[in-house]
Amino acid sequence: MTVRLLVVEDERAIQLALTGLFKKEGYEVVVADGAPAALSRIEAGGIDGIVTDLSLGKGGSGLDVLQAAKKAHPDVPVVLITAHGSEKIAVEAMKAGADDYVPKPFDNDELRLVVRRALERTALVREHRALRERMERERGLGSMIGTGPRMRDVFSVIQKVAETDLTVLVRGESGTGKELVAEALHQRSSRRNGPFIAVNCAAISRELVESELFGHEKGAFTGATARRTGRFEAASGGTLFLDEIGDMPLETQAKVLRVLEERKVERVGSNTGVPVDVRVVAATHRDLEADVQKGRFRGDLYFRLSVVPIVLPPLRDRPEDVPLLAERFLAKLAERLGRPAPALSAEALKKLAAHPFPGNVRELRNVVEQAAVLAAGTEIEASDLRLMPLPVDLGVGWTSGTSFADEKRRHVEAFERRFLREALDAHGGNVSRTAQAIGLARQSLQQKLRELGVRASDDDGAD
């Protein structure tokens, strides 16, 4: 395919010289006699590389051409031709994204070589990106693995919305990898060089949540001995991940909505708004629609958050990914421990594939890491896998005079109650260890135990 090169030069003689030079190299040359014409040509697209004089007279400079090119087409290489004595400006242009520069009077061979190398570097970057995207389509995206259609749909949505600033709501059971989705969105966005800050809304007490999110002024409350920057301010220029937002108090939800609408935060104890430039990704395992109906979650905030919904399937609905995930976790563990990763025997893989993993990917990781440490040999056997016991059959069936919703709720609560009792028994009644094993935040598990009337031996969470 012929490379199309845009030459930006206001002197007619140099235009002709550059056109002849690059046509001999086999490039298709498009000429612009100044910055305005160059900007129009860049906006139209179809340019593979740009060579521009730094000084273009009236209407703009080569720096304007560079900035427009990097904004519209970041991958297009830009080479500057600089006048004697303007090397300092050229260095600044390199920091702004220029690929290289050649000082006047330029040598034809040097200019040909610089342009060729810039184009080759760009081709390698594009080839690498295409290879990465193909591998991600086949095996996963970033730190996430998924080969089935449901996970490929998730990856497709991430790639489509990552470069936007749209608010994303990630839905899924605990342990399915909602934070990994937020990280993937951040790393593929224009905010990738900014901060990524994650906040677990279920892990912050009601008394401190607003101070954590919005910050506070000195003296705002007892113990506020100095001004504190909140997570919204700290994440400015980057991404703020609000995990388990369904557990956020209603009064705090109203303030979060105001921040999303006004792009300003007010620290606790202040009436002055502080501008923030942040992209928000929220996540929850709760049924927010039902919570909105019951008045537990604000409907206006729900609609503001769910501009782009992403639903992560539970691991039991993607059994084809269990071996791949297990291998990934074992490899990472081996890297941390500095020793070879043990292999999974055929029987061990069969046992993993048959387990529904109520704690999802987090539970799978805990199981295989524990087995790798405890295994006697270089291979993990089925007996090395310590899986959570499954609840017995609940006797689900139709009962005359009951609705589907009521019956479903009754059986789900029965399942949750039995599962959590057995999980607690397996861990000596310790809430912290049980929460880690089944893939729930400790505070979420405590709340669920209270809702179901299940008592634990360490209600205070002490280990």
Side-chain angles (χ1 to χ4, degrees):
M1 186 177 69
T2 303
V3 173
R4 182 175 295 167
L5 200 64
L6 173 63
V7 172
V8 190
E9 175 58 61
D10 60 339
E11 293 187 25
R12 179 64 176 166
I14 300 179
Q15 280 183 19
L16 294 173
L18 292 175
T19 299
L21 176 67
F22 292 126
K23 280 188 174 180
K24 287 181 181 178
E25 289 291 295
Y27 304 141
E28 178 185 341
V29 180
V30 179
V31 177
D33 60 4
L39 300 187
S40 298
R41 195 62 191 80
I42 290 169
E43 187 177 349
I47 297 297
D48 300 303
I50 300 173
V51 178
T52 178
D53 199 333
L54 183 60
S55 177
L56 294 173
K58 295 181 179 180
S61 69
L63 290 179
D64 296 317
V65 175
L66 170 65
Q67 291 170 358
K70 290 303 171 184
K71 182 178 180 180
H73 309 288
D75 288 345
V76 173
V78 179
V79 174
L80 293 171
I81 299 174
T82 64
H84 178 70
S86 60
E87 286 82 1
K88 185 176 181 181
I89 299 176
V91 171
E92 292 301 315
M94 294 283 287
K95 294 178 181 178
D99 287 74
D100 213 331
Y101 70 94
V102 177
K104 290 180 180 178
F106 56 82
D107 178 80
N108 285 352
D109 290 337
E110 180 185 6
L111 182 57
R112 272 196 297 256
L113 181 61
V114 167
V115 171
R116 186 187 309 135
R117 286 178 174 171
L119 291 167
E120 287 173 351
R121 284 194 298 269
T122 300
L124 285 173
V125 169
R126 289 172 177 168
E127 184 179 339
H128 175 72
R129 182 187 299 115
L131 177 62
R132 186 187 70 185
E133 289 176 353
R134 182 171 64 82
M135 291 179 66
E136 288 179 344
R137 285 195 300 270
E138 293 175 358
R139 293 284 300 266
L141 187 146
S143 299
M144 294 181 288
I145 285 178
T147 58
R150 293 186 65 181
M151 286 304 293
R152 285 201 297 270
D153 288 344
V154 169
F155 300 154
S156 177
V157 174
I158 291 173
Q159 290 171 335
K160 289 176 182 176
V161 304
E163 284 290 349
T164 74
D165 262 354
L166 295 175
T167 305
V168 177
L169 179 62
V170 188
R171 311 287 292 272
E173 297 177 6
S174 294
T176 49
K178 295 186 286 294
E179 185 167 348
L180 295 180
V181 173
E183 290 175 351
L185 288 165
H186 176 72
Q187 290 300 327
R188 283 157 180 77
S189 74
S190 59
R191 298 174 175 271
R192 65 181 66 88
N193 294 323
F196 175 84
I197 294 182
V199 182
N200 187 335
C201 300
I204 306 174
S205 68
R206 297 177 69 93
E207 295 76 17
L208 295 177
V209 64
E210 291 186 15
S211 173
E212 286 289 327
L213 292 176
F214 312 126
H216 63 250
E217 297 289 348
K218 180 179 179 180
F221 50 84
T222 303
T225 57
R227 171 186 285 181
R228 173 171 180 165
T229 298
R231 303 297 181 88
F232 271 96
E233 282 186 78
S236 196
T239 303
L240 178 64
F241 176 53
L242 298 177
D243 196 12
E244 299 302 349
I245 196 166
D247 295 315
M248 180 181 287
L250 278 168
E251 56 270 23
T252 307
Q253 292 175 27
K255 296 182 179 181
V256 168
L257 176 63
R258 185 176 178 183
V259 173
L260 294 176
E261 296 290 352
E262 299 182 1
R263 316 299 290 180
K264 291 181 181 180
V265 296
E266 287 185 7
R267 301 189 188 106
V268 177
S270 172
N271 293 321
T272 303
V274 178
V276 290
D277 172 26
V278 63
R279 194 237 187 113
V280 172
V281 179
T284 184
H285 72 284
R286 298 179 65 93
D287 183 350
L288 288 189
E289 292 84 358
D291 286 348
V292 170
Q293 292 293 324
K294 296 175 182 177
R296 297 175 182 168
F297 198 84
R298 291 182 63 102
D300 46 9
L301 179 58
Y302 167 75
F303 289 114
R304 185 64 180 79
L305 291 172
S306 57
V307 177
V308 179
I310 294 179
V311 180
L312 284 174
L315 188 55
R316 61 182 173 274
D317 289 347
R318 40 186 290 233
E320 68 278 0
D321 294 331
V322 170
L324 297 174
L325 287 164
E327 290 173 6
R328 167 77 69 85
F329 295 142
L330 289 173
K332 287 189 173 182
L333 178 65
E335 185 178 341
R336 292 203 308 270
L337 298 180
R339 65 190 194 192
L344 285 158
S345 70
E347 287 302 312
L349 283 171
K350 184 178 179 181
K351 186 174 180 180
L352 288 175
H355 190 70
F357 288 103
N360 292 294
V361 179
R362 188 183 292 123
E363 181 188 353
L364 173 62
R365 182 186 63 204
N366 292 341
V367 167
V368 297
E369 288 184 350
Q370 183 183 56
V373 173
L374 299 179
T378 59
E379 189 173 63
I380 297 174
E381 302 293 343
S383 57
D384 296 320
L385 299 171
R386 302 188 178 184
L387 300 173
M388 288 293 298
L390 298 178
V392 298
D393 179 40
L394 297 173
V396 176
W398 178 70
T399 303
S400 178
T402 59
S403 69
F404 173 80
D406 289 340
E407 196 68 8
K408 176 183 177 181
R409 188 179 305 109
R410 183 174 69 85
H411 287 297
V412 167
E413 288 180 356
F415 161 79
E416 290 178 340
R417 191 175 289 109
R418 183 183 296 274
F419 177 86
L420 294 178
R421 281 173 177 163
E422 293 185 1
L424 284 165
D425 289 345
H427 292 86
N430 185 285
V431 174
S432 297
R433 287 199 293 270
T434 302
Q436 182 180 12
I438 66 175
L440 281 178
R442 178 172 166 272
Q443 289 80 2
S444 297
L445 176 57
Q446 288 179 315
Q447 180 179 341
K448 179 61 70 173
L449 294 175
R450 287 193 293 269
E451 290 175 356
L452 298 172
V454 177
R455 294 183 59 82
S457 64
D458 67 335
D459 288 337
D460 59 354
D463 290 333

